[in-house]
Amino acid sequence: MNDEQSDKGAQLEELSFTVMGYISKTPHETYEAVADPAQLSKYFTTGGARGRLEPGTEVTWDFADFPGRFPVEVIESVQDEKIVVAWEGSEHATAPSTTTTFEFSPVDDGARTLVTVTEKSWKTTVGGAEGAFGNCMGWTGMLAALKAWIEYGIDLREGFYK
């Protein structure tokens, strides 16, 4: 049975996506580059990040391309392994919030890290697809910026959006 046959009658209820990349640092170093607001502000949140990505912490992110701080809720964090965050969804989300999961998997006996970013909660509409595709681009850019920053000290986002 091919994919087309197995999907007959199946209804797509939500759009989600996963992007991934290898970082030539340990899971601990890579996790910290995402969880620590000072580091995150160096390569991702062009307007700055406040609050460590751990449950119970007040976290906000600000971007030059989407001005204005917005709150980020930390649902779960497992040191060096996983961070799950959520923020207010748009009218194109299937839930009140959009959920993004970062997973940090050791590679090459822990010398490198596979970072996987999965986001869900987008409606199967044109607006939902536009939101999902836009965020997919954003998280792919975040991974590239993370790699450039943590491995080489280069800020890829400087002047990119403004």
Side-chain angles (χ1 to χ4, degrees):
M1 181 182 309
N2 64 34
D3 285 341
E4 187 176 313
Q5 290 171 324
S6 66
D7 286 343
K8 280 189 177 176
Q11 182 68 28
L12 183 62
E13 296 177 15
E14 175 181 81
L15 298 176
S16 64
F17 61 85
T18 299
V19 296
M20 62 188 76
Y22 291 91
I23 307 296
S24 293
K25 295 291 182 178
T26 67
H28 178 73
E29 292 170 297
T30 307
Y31 178 96
E32 285 300 316
V34 176
D36 176 17
Q39 291 190 63
L40 197 64
S41 295
K42 297 286 186 185
Y43 68 88
F44 180 54
T45 56
T46 52
R50 293 185 184 160
R52 184 173 171 80
L53 293 179
E54 55 190 29
T57 302
E58 185 176 319
V59 175
T60 60
W61 290 350
D62 193 359
F63 297 92
D65 50 330
F66 293 101
R69 283 196 182 276
F70 67 91
V72 176
E73 179 186 3
V74 182
I75 306 295
E76 178 183 4
S77 65
V78 178
Q79 182 68 44
D80 303 342
E81 294 178 18
K82 179 166 54 168
I83 300 170
V84 181
V85 298
W87 57 82
E88 185 178 330
S90 72
E91 71 272 15
H92 304 294
T94 61
S97 56
T98 301
T99 304
T100 304
T101 302
F102 301 86
E103 295 178 289
F104 306 88
S105 303
V107 178
D108 297 334
D109 295 322
R112 296 189 316 140
T113 305
L114 173 62
V115 181
T116 304
V117 181
T118 302
E119 186 170 282
K120 64 180 186 172
S121 302
W122 293 100
K123 290 180 181 177
T124 58
T125 61
V126 170
E130 289 172 349
F133 293 153
N135 281 14
C136 184
M137 177 184 72
W139 290 123
T140 301
M142 182 268 198
L143 286 178
L146 167 64
K147 182 172 184 67
W149 175 256
I150 195 171
E151 291 183 21
Y152 306 103
I154 298 169
D155 180 1
L156 290 180
R157 293 177 69 93
E158 178 66 33
F160 193 80
Y161 291 102
K162 196 171 177 186

